[in-house]
């Protein structure tokens, strides 16, 4: 088996005294396709429809951004859907392990749209001439104090008629939260995770993944400079919004 082959996610199988905060390190990058598919309800649909949305909103001569691209799943979905001329897809992630693997997957793909993968902090990297930006399951890991600034930067870089696809884990009122959490954990159990794995992963992400309500997201997207926001998809506690400039 080569070093680049991905592996099944067994990260939280063994009991740990103190579960460390979750990070996007080499061990996570290696199991990431399996982890995200078994952990995020609707992940495959969100990736595929991000491609469909990109196909509609890509403008000739523009940039399409995949911010927090991980292994480049959305980068590749966009690459196969875009028909507008002279577009470039820019995938950015600050995890070296993720970008290294993303480069491998992009090299195996033979579509012709230009792809530029960068290991950088999306809070620092300049963005310009954007027709489509995907921020899929990433804002939830950004310091809440910096979220508005990031969305303002994206909105300022977005061309008239351009869009942001924002996908997030959502927070609900207490009663709905209890129902959604049960369903999410049932989904994980149906995908082969044990109660121990579910509990340990929950502790690991507790301080690093900070979800917000749909209302908070919509209000902030409007404050950042997007004129219209549509929730185009939801599967249990994960949703995706289309924000149009
Ligand atoms: N400040 C930052 N700068 C750059 N990257 C960051 C930053 N903070 C976190 N990341 C990166 O954001 C990604 C979040 S995963 C995205 C899935 C992908 N969008 C997908 O559709 O497959 C979501 C998840 O695992 O739930 C990781 O690769 C981090 O390194
Ligand atoms: O696993 C979870 O509970 C999640 O909320 C999603 C997730 C997926 C991959 C890495 C971190 C969090």
């Amino acid at each position: 088996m080569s070093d680049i082959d991905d592996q099944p996610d067994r990260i939280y199988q063994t009991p740990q005294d103190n579960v460390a905060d979750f990070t996007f390190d080499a061990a996570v990058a290696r199991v990431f396709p399996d982890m995200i598919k078994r952990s995020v309800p609707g992940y495959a649909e969100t990736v595929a429809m991000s491609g469909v949305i990109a196909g509609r909103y890509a403008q000739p001569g523009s940039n399409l951004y995949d911010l927090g691209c991980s292994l480049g799943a959305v980068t590749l979905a966009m690459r196969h859907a875009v028909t507008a001329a002279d577009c470039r897809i820019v995938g950015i992630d600050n995890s070296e392990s993720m970008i290294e693997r993303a480069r491998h997957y992009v090299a195996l793909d033979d579509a012709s749209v230009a792809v530029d993968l960068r290991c950088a902090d999306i809070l620092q990297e300049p963005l310009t001439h954007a027709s489509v930006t995907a921020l899929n399951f990433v804002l939830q890991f950004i310091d809440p104090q910096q979220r508005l600034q990031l969305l303002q930067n994206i909105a300022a870089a977005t061309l008239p008629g351009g869009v942001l696809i924002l996908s997030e884990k959502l927070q609900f009122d207490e009663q709905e939260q209890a129902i959604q959490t049960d369903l999410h954990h049932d989904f994980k159990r149906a995908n082969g995770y044990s109660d121990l794995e579910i509990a340990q992963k929950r502790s690991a992400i507790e301080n690093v993944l900070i979800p917000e309500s749909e209302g908070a997201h919509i209000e902030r997207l409007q404050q950042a400079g997007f004129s219209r926001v549509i929730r185009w998809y939801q599967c249990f506690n994960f949703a995706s919004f289309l924000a149009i400039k």
Side-chain angles (χ1 to χ4, degrees):
M1 197 178 307
S2 105
D3 205 41
I4 200 81
D5 289 334
D6 55 79
Q7 302 268 299
D9 174 21
R10 299 201 182 91
I11 290 182
Y12 296 104
Q13 264 183 11
T14 41
Q16 292 159 29
D17 291 337
N18 279 306
V19 181
D21 277 354
F22 188 87
T23 56
F24 293 96
D25 58 14
V28 166
R30 191 156 209 212
V31 303
F32 193 72
D34 184 59
M35 173 186 276
I36 195 139
K37 179 178 73 195
R38 291 164 65 206
S39 303
V40 175
Y43 173 74
E45 290 73 16
T46 305
V47 170
M49 297 315 137
S50 294
V52 171
I53 293 168
R56 167 146 302 266
Y57 287 96
Q59 298 178 29
S62 68
N63 289 319
L64 286 80
Y65 288 101
D66 181 7
L67 304 180
C69 63
S70 297
L71 303 182
V74 168
T75 295
L76 291 179
M78 286 174 160
R79 194 186 205 193
H80 285 267
V82 167
T83 53
D86 301 321
C87 288
R88 176 176 65 152
I89 303 169
V90 183
I92 306 175
D93 202 291
N94 65 353
S95 161
E96 188 64 66
S97 308
M98 288 291 190
I99 285 289
E100 196 182 301
R101 285 174 170 272
R103 289 208 165 98
H104 167 78
Y105 288 118
V106 169
L108 291 176
D109 176 78
D110 60 1
S112 60
V113 178
V115 171
D116 176 6
L117 293 175
R118 301 179 191 162
C119 186
D121 183 350
I122 57 171
L123 299 167
Q124 304 293 329
E125 197 66 4
L127 310 172
T128 59
H129 291 89
S131 55
V132 181
T133 298
L135 189 61
N136 282 353
F137 314 113
V138 176
L139 195 66
Q140 58 198 22
F141 292 105
I142 302 290
D143 173 2
Q145 301 283 346
Q146 305 205 273
R147 292 180 186 182
L148 176 60
Q149 182 66 60
L150 173 61
L151 296 181
Q152 283 172 331
N153 292 347
I154 296 168
T158 300
L159 299 163
V163 296
L164 168 66
I165 304 162
L166 173 68
S167 307
E168 288 277 293
K169 187 181 203 173
L170 292 182
Q171 182 73 41
F172 305 90
D173 66 49
E174 207 179 316
Q175 285 189 347
E176 184 171 354
Q177 187 63 46
I179 297 165
Q180 294 282 14
T181 302
D182 282 347
L183 290 169
H184 183 212
H185 290 175
D186 289 343
F187 169 85
K188 288 192 170 196
R189 238 172 262 117
N191 286 329
Y193 284 124
S194 67
D195 289 342
L196 176 70
E197 286 177 289
I198 293 169
Q200 294 195 138
K201 173 84 177 285
R202 190 182 194 171
S203 307
I205 62 178
E206 196 176 1
N207 299 318
V208 291
L209 191 170
I210 300 161
E212 292 179 271
S213 67
E214 165 167 86
H217 282 297
I218 293 174
E219 202 174 300
R220 190 172 42 217
L221 285 164
Q222 287 169 341
Q223 199 187 340
F226 291 97
S227 63
R228 196 181 169 107
V229 183
I230 295 167
R231 177 177 19 81
W232 66 267
Y233 187 65
Q234 183 170 343
C235 187
F236 298 146
N237 49 343
F238 289 79
S240 189
F241 302 94
L242 179 66
I244 304 171
K245 183 151 174 201

